PDB file of all heavy atoms in Angstrom:
ATOM      1  N   LEU O 143       3.547  -4.446   9.255  1.00 94.00           N
ATOM      2  CA  LEU O 143       2.421  -3.606   9.625  1.00 94.00           C
ATOM      3  C   LEU O 143       2.936  -2.282  10.236  1.00 94.00           C
ATOM      4  O   LEU O 143       2.416  -1.172   9.921  1.00 94.00           O
ATOM      5  CB  LEU O 143       1.522  -4.311  10.619  1.00 94.00           C
ATOM      6  CG  LEU O 143       0.499  -5.253   9.991  1.00 94.00           C
ATOM      7  CD1 LEU O 143       1.171  -6.461   9.368  1.00 94.00           C
ATOM      8  CD2 LEU O 143      -0.526  -5.712  11.006  1.00 94.00           C
ATOM      9  N   THR O 144       3.974  -2.370  11.041  1.00 92.00           N
ATOM     10  CA  THR O 144       4.481  -1.151  11.694  1.00 92.00           C
ATOM     11  C   THR O 144       5.077  -0.186  10.669  1.00 92.00           C
ATOM     12  O   THR O 144       4.847   1.019  10.733  1.00 92.00           O
ATOM     13  CB  THR O 144       5.548  -1.529  12.744  1.00 92.00           C
ATOM     14  OG1 THR O 144       5.008  -2.525  13.600  1.00 92.00           O
ATOM     15  CG2 THR O 144       5.940  -0.348  13.565  1.00 92.00           C
ATOM     16  N   SER O 145       5.828  -0.725   9.693  1.00 94.00           N
ATOM     17  CA  SER O 145       6.463   0.159   8.719  1.00 94.00           C
ATOM     18  C   SER O 145       5.371   0.823   7.796  1.00 94.00           C
ATOM     19  O   SER O 145       5.572   1.969   7.386  1.00 94.00           O
ATOM     20  CB  SER O 145       7.512  -0.594   7.858  1.00 94.00           C
ATOM     21  OG  SER O 145       6.964  -1.737   7.237  1.00 94.00           O
ATOM     22  N   VAL O 146       4.268   0.116   7.540  1.00 96.00           N
ATOM     23  CA  VAL O 146       3.200   0.750   6.749  1.00 96.00           C
ATOM     24  C   VAL O 146       2.507   1.830   7.581  1.00 96.00           C
ATOM     25  O   VAL O 146       2.131   2.870   7.070  1.00 96.00           O
ATOM     26  CB  VAL O 146       2.220  -0.294   6.212  1.00 96.00           C
ATOM     27  CG1 VAL O 146       1.068   0.395   5.487  1.00 96.00           C
ATOM     28  CG2 VAL O 146       2.873  -1.205   5.256  1.00 96.00           C
ATOM     29  N   LEU O 147       2.351   1.568   8.887  1.00 96.00           N
ATOM     30  CA  LEU O 147       1.795   2.573   9.765  1.00 96.00           C
ATOM     31  C   LEU O 147       2.657   3.816   9.785  1.00 96.00           C
ATOM     32  O   LEU O 147       2.188   4.977   9.764  1.00 96.00           O
ATOM     33  CB  LEU O 147       1.616   2.065  11.187  1.00 96.00           C
ATOM     34  CG  LEU O 147       0.856   2.973  12.151  1.00 96.00           C
ATOM     35  CD1 LEU O 147      -0.583   3.142  11.703  1.00 96.00           C
ATOM     36  CD2 LEU O 147       0.872   2.449  13.557  1.00 96.00           C
ATOM     37  N   VAL O 148       4.002   3.628   9.789  1.00 95.00           N
ATOM     38  CA  VAL O 148       4.926   4.752   9.731  1.00 95.00           C
ATOM     39  C   VAL O 148       4.736   5.518   8.422  1.00 95.00           C
ATOM     40  O   VAL O 148       4.774   6.750   8.404  1.00 95.00           O
ATOM     41  CB  VAL O 148       6.389   4.264   9.889  1.00 95.00           C
ATOM     42  CG1 VAL O 148       7.405   5.349   9.504  1.00 95.00           C
ATOM     43  CG2 VAL O 148       6.679   3.748  11.284  1.00 95.00           C
ATOM     44  N   LEU O 149       4.527   4.759   7.334  1.00 96.00           N
ATOM     45  CA  LEU O 149       4.285   5.436   6.046  1.00 96.00           C
ATOM     46  C   LEU O 149       3.020   6.321   6.130  1.00 96.00           C
ATOM     47  O   LEU O 149       3.032   7.463   5.644  1.00 96.00           O
ATOM     48  CB  LEU O 149       4.055   4.360   4.949  1.00 96.00           C
ATOM     49  CG  LEU O 149       3.821   4.916   3.544  1.00 96.00           C
ATOM     50  CD1 LEU O 149       5.083   5.472   2.942  1.00 96.00           C
ATOM     51  CD2 LEU O 149       3.253   3.815   2.624  1.00 96.00           C
ATOM     52  N   PHE O 150       1.984   5.823   6.789  1.00 97.00           N
ATOM     53  CA  PHE O 150       0.773   6.609   6.959  1.00 97.00           C
ATOM     54  C   PHE O 150       1.061   7.897   7.724  1.00 97.00           C
ATOM     55  O   PHE O 150       0.617   8.988   7.353  1.00 97.00           O
ATOM     56  CB  PHE O 150      -0.273   5.729   7.671  1.00 97.00           C
ATOM     57  CG  PHE O 150      -1.615   6.423   7.874  1.00 97.00           C
ATOM     58  CD1 PHE O 150      -2.308   6.895   6.797  1.00 97.00           C
ATOM     59  CD2 PHE O 150      -2.143   6.585   9.126  1.00 97.00           C
ATOM     60  CE1 PHE O 150      -3.550   7.508   6.926  1.00 97.00           C
ATOM     61  CE2 PHE O 150      -3.333   7.224   9.316  1.00 97.00           C
ATOM     62  CZ  PHE O 150      -4.078   7.655   8.211  1.00 97.00           C
ATOM     63  N   PHE O 151       1.838   7.780   8.766  1.00 96.00           N
ATOM     64  CA  PHE O 151       2.215   8.949   9.605  1.00 96.00           C
ATOM     65  C   PHE O 151       3.054   9.920   8.790  1.00 96.00           C
ATOM     66  O   PHE O 151       2.958  11.136   8.930  1.00 96.00           O
ATOM     67  CB  PHE O 151       2.877   8.566  10.870  1.00 96.00           C
ATOM     68  CG  PHE O 151       1.935   7.936  11.875  1.00 96.00           C
ATOM     69  CD1 PHE O 151       2.344   6.935  12.724  1.00 96.00           C
ATOM     70  CD2 PHE O 151       0.589   8.299  11.921  1.00 96.00           C
ATOM     71  CE1 PHE O 151       1.477   6.366  13.628  1.00 96.00           C
ATOM     72  CE2 PHE O 151      -0.278   7.738  12.809  1.00 96.00           C
ATOM     73  CZ  PHE O 151       0.163   6.750  13.663  1.00 96.00           C
ATOM     74  N   LEU O 152       3.967   9.397   7.900  1.00 96.00           N
ATOM     75  CA  LEU O 152       4.745  10.261   7.047  1.00 96.00           C
ATOM     76  C   LEU O 152       3.862  11.098   6.162  1.00 96.00           C
ATOM     77  O   LEU O 152       4.036  12.292   5.929  1.00 96.00           O
ATOM     78  CB  LEU O 152       5.732   9.447   6.223  1.00 96.00           C
ATOM     79  CG  LEU O 152       6.975   8.952   6.920  1.00 96.00           C
ATOM     80  CD1 LEU O 152       7.719   7.925   6.048  1.00 96.00           C
ATOM     81  CD2 LEU O 152       7.886  10.100   7.268  1.00 96.00           C
ATOM     82  N   TYR O 153       2.828  10.421   5.552  1.00 97.00           N
ATOM     83  CA  TYR O 153       1.834  11.133   4.721  1.00 97.00           C
ATOM     84  C   TYR O 153       1.140  12.229   5.558  1.00 97.00           C
ATOM     85  O   TYR O 153       1.039  13.391   5.078  1.00 97.00           O
ATOM     86  CB  TYR O 153       0.758  10.168   4.231  1.00 97.00           C
ATOM     87  CG  TYR O 153       1.081   9.480   2.893  1.00 97.00           C
ATOM     88  CD1 TYR O 153       1.157   8.055   2.817  1.00 97.00           C
ATOM     89  CD2 TYR O 153       1.276  10.181   1.731  1.00 97.00           C
ATOM     90  CE1 TYR O 153       1.373   7.407   1.633  1.00 97.00           C
ATOM     91  CE2 TYR O 153       1.494   9.553   0.553  1.00 97.00           C
ATOM     92  CZ  TYR O 153       1.565   8.213   0.504  1.00 97.00           C
ATOM     93  OH  TYR O 153       1.809   7.560  -0.679  1.00 97.00           O
ATOM     94  N   LEU O 154       0.658  11.858   6.755  1.00 96.00           N
ATOM     95  CA  LEU O 154      -0.031  12.832   7.574  1.00 96.00           C
ATOM     96  C   LEU O 154       0.904  14.014   7.925  1.00 96.00           C
ATOM     97  O   LEU O 154       0.481  15.179   7.884  1.00 96.00           O
ATOM     98  CB  LEU O 154      -0.543  12.195   8.895  1.00 96.00           C
ATOM     99  CG  LEU O 154      -1.657  11.150   8.716  1.00 96.00           C
ATOM    100  CD1 LEU O 154      -2.161  10.759  10.102  1.00 96.00           C
ATOM    101  CD2 LEU O 154      -2.792  11.694   7.874  1.00 96.00           C
TER     102      LEU O 154
END
Side-chain angles (χ1 to χ4, degrees):
Chain O
L143 277 69
T144 308
S145 55
V146 174
L147 187 66
V148 168
L149 181 73
F150 182 58
F151 288 147
L152 282 170
Y153 271 121
L154 292 187

